[in-house]
Structure formats: C-alpha cells, structure tokens
Amino acid sequence: MGGCVSTSSRSTSGSMGRREEVSPRCCDIRFCGQKRTKRTFSDHVIALHHLPSVPNRVFTNGKSRSSCIFTQQGRKGINQDAMIVWEDFMPEDVTFCGVFDGHGPHGHLVARKVRDALPLKLLSSMDSCQSRQNGSGQTCFKGSLEAADLEKDVSAEERLISLWREAFMKSYKAMDKELRSHPNLDCFCSGSTAVSIVKQGSNLFMGYIGDSRAVMGSKDNNDSMVAIQLTVDLKPDLPREAERIKRCKGRVFALQDEPEVCRVWLPFDDAPGLAMARAFGDFCLKEYGVISMPEFSHRLLTEKDQFIVLASDGVWDVLSNEEVVEIVSSAPSRSSAARMLVDSAAREWKLKYPTSKMDDCAVVCFFLDGKMDSESDYEEQGFSSATIQSYHSGNAGESDDSCHRSEPSLQRNFTVRPSEECEGFGNGRPHPEEFEGNDDTVAGEDQNWLGLEGVTRVNSLIQLPRFSEERPNP
C-alpha cells in the first residue's frame, strides 16, 4: 500500500506549476520552493484500518471537493452497483475513482467488496512495485526544459507509467484471488465489473474490466464540448476476447431473441450466458476464457479536459457518450450533475424500453479543475448535509463476513438458441461526506436479486449452471 511514486508530473488548471518529488517507500512531496514533508508508508497503512472514517473518501450519494456521485436502484431487486471517489488517495493531487457493477445472486456483495478492497490493493501493489525500483530519480517539471532535462523527464514519465501499469495488473489479480478464497462470499456465479482511474497531477491512469465505461468531456479548438471515450467495453463480441474464450473451450454466441448481445457459455451447459468477457468473480467461467486482467491505459491531461464520467451500463445502455457529456456540462450546478445524469437515464429507460426492467445506474462525475459548488448550491438540489445516511453500500458497520444471503429462485427452463458467432464490434465502442438520496433509490437489505425473473432488456447472466449449487469447494 505504498503511497509514493518516483516521478514528477504537470498538473491541470488550478495547480499548474506544481511539482511532486517522491522517494521510494515513502511519500516525499514538495512544491517548488517549499519545505519538504514526508509521510511514511506505514503511517498511511494505519490510517486505512478503518475505511469508513478515512477522510475525503465518498462512496454513497453525495459530493466531494472535486466530484459528485449518485446511484439509483433499478427494477431487478437490490442495487448491485457500487462507486467511490477517494481524494488524497496518495499525498498531493492523487485521486482514485471507481464504478463497480455487480451481477449474479451475490453481485451486490462482490461490487461492494471490490469497491472497498481494490483501492487498498492498488496502494499495496504500488508500494511493492516501487520498492523494487532501484536508483529512481526525483525530478521537477518546470516551464521550460533543456534538452538533457527533457530526456530525463521523459524517462521519469515512462517509469511512472510502468509503475502504475504493474500496480494495476497486480492489484486486479490479487482482488480476484481474494474473492476466490473468501469464506463467506460465493463468487462462483456472481461477479462485478470495474472501471477505475487514478489522477496524479496531469497524468490519468486507467484500469478496467467488463462493460462499465469512462468518458471525458473536453473542449475542442472551437471551444465546443466533445466526448472522448477513455475505455473499451470488454464484451465477448470483441474479436480478441472471443478468440481467447474459444481457445479456452468456452462458447460465444448470441440468442435469437437478442442477436446484438453476445454471451459466454460453458462448453457443457447452456449457462451462465455472461454478457462480458472480463470480470471479477464468475469463477465458473475462469477456466473457459473469462479473465480478470485489466486493460490499462494512460493519458496526459490538458487544460481543455473538463471532467470525467464513470458509469455502469445502466447509463450507457440508453445514453450515448455525447448525450452524457452534454447533460453533465449543462447541469445547473456541478453538484447535481451525477443525479441529473441518472434521472436522464431513468427517463430514457421508460421511453426506449417501456416493457423492460430498468437496470441499476451508478455515476461518478469527476471535475478535473478540482472545483465544486458552494454548499448552499448543493443543498438546493435536494440533498441535506444534516441528514447523513448510508446507502446500499455505505454502512460503516458493513462486514464482509455477513455475506450469507439466501439465493433467489432462478429460472431453469430457458431454451438456448444460438444465433451467430460474435466477431464484430458492437455499439458504444471507440474504434481501434455521504448523503442520502430519494427514498425510492434506497434498496432494503432484505431484497433479493431478481435479474433472472421477468422481462429485462439485457441481463448480465441468463441462468446459473445446473451444477452450481452442488459444486465442490475450491
């Protein structure tokens, strides 16, 4: 859980001219011309023992210094989406954001577990990766650089990217390993997506699996707002994903009544029909090509970049990237942006799919200049800072050991009709303080997951394997 990165990075907008200097095994942060302060890795670990009390970590409907987040339950039972914004993730201008969309009977518990544990594993992996880097230098980006200095800085930038790439890979692997061995959380036919970003100065690092998506609102040369998709929906219809699954003896095809949705099936059973190629959990398919290895990418932010939206597929299924950016950029206040986006998605579900059950929606709106509205503006949007209440994933007393929940009744008589092998790109892909919400958004803890019952547009799972309830312990 190292909170240090040996790098220097330019920062955006409000923090231009800032430099960071970090030494291995500790967080050594310095502004140009300011006194150096150190915070050791062990100090940071102690602060993480009680996650609910960690400052600047928001995981329920509300806002932070630079973001707003909102989730609303759909019509499939308990809300299976989770989200988080963790400012001061590492000292000085480092923020972690994530959205996690669970699926299966215990998907809500998987999503919460990933929300809580993945950031810690990322910190731990970062510290481990950094500790192995010998002779890492400390640099300071300035307004103009000599040629030799520029070469050193480029090398430092490359080292930074390499560090974060390895940290993302290791943390996602460790997360899936923990889920597999968890004594009270059955992830055999349950899992979660993840889209996670780390902003460090002007550097943006992204790791993701599944079909939750990140989109950035940025201004073009004409000062018009444009949408830039930052991640790829990792679904089975991507040729490389389908190829890997088939090599591992998994099957990939769509059903006749939903030919646009490719799914992953066991080689010997018409189940579970997973609608994504990568996920945490879903161990019934891990031997057949579904993986938890994330895609990793890096982007250098500029002053034209305004905000980033992370959302579950309940939003992207009904709103385009451009519509999402337009809604957020036109919100009457930044604090209301996430809620407005979820409300817009809910309306679109009713208009476009009136006979289907609306999916859960979770949104993080992260504003890159680090500015938000005043508290008074925020309260006008219907939130009250005087009534702090945990949402579906926000109970301070939440325990992973309480993950024993009765499995809902599931349909077993689904007839599978292969439609076509899915080799093409689908829609929605780029080419190569905690506050309470509305009463109707809060899902009771006694609710079951009803994703396999009734009429839905796109379920992440079709049905559970016939042997799932009698499987041997791993």
Side-chain angles (χ1 to χ4, degrees):
M1 300 179 186
C4 55
V5 181
S6 177
T7 181
S8 57
S9 60
R10 292 151 294 198
S11 55
T12 58
S13 298
S15 54
M16 293 298 291
R18 176 177 297 178
R19 69 177 179 183
E20 300 177 1
E21 297 184 330
V22 187
S23 59
R25 305 300 295 178
C26 70
C27 296
D28 182 2
I29 309 300
R30 181 173 61 175
F31 294 97
C32 293
Q34 290 189 351
K35 184 178 179 180
R36 178 182 304 176
T37 59
K38 288 188 178 182
R39 183 180 180 186
T40 64
F41 168 64
S42 59
D43 291 338
H44 202 52
V45 173
I46 294 173
L48 299 179
H49 283 172
H50 304 285
L51 275 178
S53 63
V54 172
N56 302 316
R57 177 181 176 271
V58 182
F59 56 102
T60 63
N61 293 349
K63 71 167 186 175
S64 66
R65 295 193 307 258
S66 60
S67 67
C68 60
I69 66 177
F70 195 83
T71 184
Q72 180 171 307
Q73 174 187 331
R75 294 295 179 262
K76 299 180 182 181
I78 190 168
N79 191 340
Q80 294 194 302
D81 287 358
M83 57 196 177
I84 185 174
V85 172
W86 190 343
E87 295 170 342
D88 301 327
F89 181 61
M90 291 164 50
E92 292 306 327
D93 203 18
V94 181
T95 299
F96 175 92
C97 302
V99 164
F100 315 97
D101 183 358
H103 52 263
H106 308 115
H108 55 299
L109 301 176
V110 180
R112 292 182 202 169
K113 181 65 178 177
V114 175
R115 175 204 67 197
D116 291 343
L118 182 62
L120 304 185
K121 294 184 184 301
L122 187 58
L123 282 173
S124 178
S125 298
M126 193 62 183
D127 178 72
S128 175
C129 297
Q130 175 130 23
S131 66
R132 296 198 309 271
Q133 258 204 6
N134 299 323
S136 55
Q138 297 180 348
T139 59
C140 175
F141 282 112
K142 297 182 179 180
S144 60
L145 297 170
E146 299 294 336
D149 293 334
L150 181 60
E151 184 176 345
K152 292 179 182 178
D153 287 330
V154 169
S155 178
E157 192 89 359
E158 291 173 350
R159 288 199 302 270
L160 176 64
I161 296 171
S162 178
L163 274 172
W164 278 111
R165 177 184 290 110
E166 185 176 357
F168 269 98
M169 295 297 173
K170 289 183 62 177
S171 61
Y172 271 62
K173 182 178 180 179
M175 184 72 252
D176 210 44
K177 182 178 180 181
E178 179 177 338
L179 290 173
R180 182 184 287 272
S181 60
H182 199 290
N184 301 313
L185 182 53
D186 184 358
C187 300
F188 191 64
C189 296
S190 298
S192 178
T193 70
V195 55
S196 56
I197 66 170
V198 172
K199 178 185 176 294
Q200 182 179 32
S202 60
N203 288 285
L204 183 67
F205 306 98
M206 295 162 280
Y208 53 95
I209 55 177
D211 56 4
S212 297
R213 189 186 304 171
V215 169
M216 183 166 65
S218 186
K219 292 187 176 180
D220 60 16
N221 294 332
N222 297 321
D223 211 34
S224 299
M225 192 67 71
V226 295
I228 301 173
Q229 187 165 329
L230 300 175
T231 60
V232 176
D233 299 345
L234 295 171
K235 295 186 178 183
D237 58 352
L238 286 176
R240 57 177 178 168
E241 302 295 313
E243 191 175 321
R244 181 192 67 247
I245 293 167
K246 292 173 183 177
R247 282 200 312 267
C248 297
K249 310 303 181 183
R251 297 182 296 158
V252 177
F253 59 84
L255 304 177
Q256 287 184 355
D257 52 358
E258 49 172 25
E260 75 283 0
V261 183
C262 287
R263 298 181 179 275
V264 184
W265 309 86
L266 290 166
F268 49 81
D269 190 6
D270 292 333
L274 184 65
M276 60 197 72
R278 305 190 195 191
F280 286 123
D282 295 309
F283 294 112
C284 67
L285 289 170
K286 285 294 165 70
E287 294 181 5
Y288 304 106
V290 173
I291 61 176
S292 61
M293 178 184 297
E295 284 290 297
F296 172 86
S297 59
H298 165 260
R299 186 182 184 92
L300 195 61
L301 299 170
T302 71
E303 291 185 351
K304 290 183 176 294
D305 301 328
Q306 304 298 303
F307 57 82
I308 296 172
V309 177
L310 309 181
S312 58
D313 64 342
V315 172
W316 307 114
D317 280 349
V318 293
L319 293 173
S320 67
N321 295 344
E322 292 74 19
E323 289 171 329
V324 166
V325 167
E326 172 62 23
I327 291 168
V328 173
S329 62
S330 62
S333 66
R334 288 187 171 188
S335 301
S336 66
R339 183 171 183 171
M340 281 194 62
L341 186 52
V342 172
D343 288 345
S344 297
R347 286 193 296 270
E348 288 301 309
W349 272 95
K350 293 177 181 178
L351 290 173
K352 294 181 178 180
Y353 309 106
T355 61
S356 296
K357 291 182 179 180
M358 173 185 165
D359 199 0
D360 305 325
C361 295
V363 170
V364 170
C365 295
F366 177 41
F367 296 94
L368 297 171
D369 61 6
K371 299 176 182 178
M372 285 294 285
D373 313 302
S374 66
E375 186 69 15
S376 60
D377 290 340
Y378 186 62
E379 291 177 351
E380 287 178 3
Q381 299 305 315
F383 298 93
S384 172
S385 59
T387 53
I388 299 177
Q389 176 181 341
S390 294
Y391 183 55
H392 71 99
S393 59
N395 291 334
E398 247 180 27
S399 170
D400 294 317
D401 295 331
S402 64
C403 301
H404 53 281
R405 214 170 291 280
S406 60
E407 189 170 295
S409 58
L410 301 170
Q411 293 176 335
R412 300 287 187 174
N413 57 352
F414 196 95
T415 302
V416 177
R417 301 185 298 276
S419 171
E420 59 184 71
E421 297 293 343
C422 304
E423 298 291 346
F425 285 87
N427 293 329
R429 293 185 177 83
H431 293 286
E433 331 130 355
E434 307 159 8
F435 299 88
E436 67 174 333
N438 288 341
D439 292 339
D440 62 353
T441 70
V442 180
E445 287 300 311
D446 58 345
Q447 290 187 358
N448 283 327
W449 172 69
L450 305 175
L452 303 186
E453 300 178 2
V455 180
T456 61
R457 177 177 177 266
V458 177
N459 281 330
S460 294
L461 295 178
I462 290 296
Q463 69 173 9
L464 302 187
R466 289 187 291 270
F467 61 87
S468 63
E469 298 175 355
E470 301 176 356
R471 66 183 179 86
N473 293 325

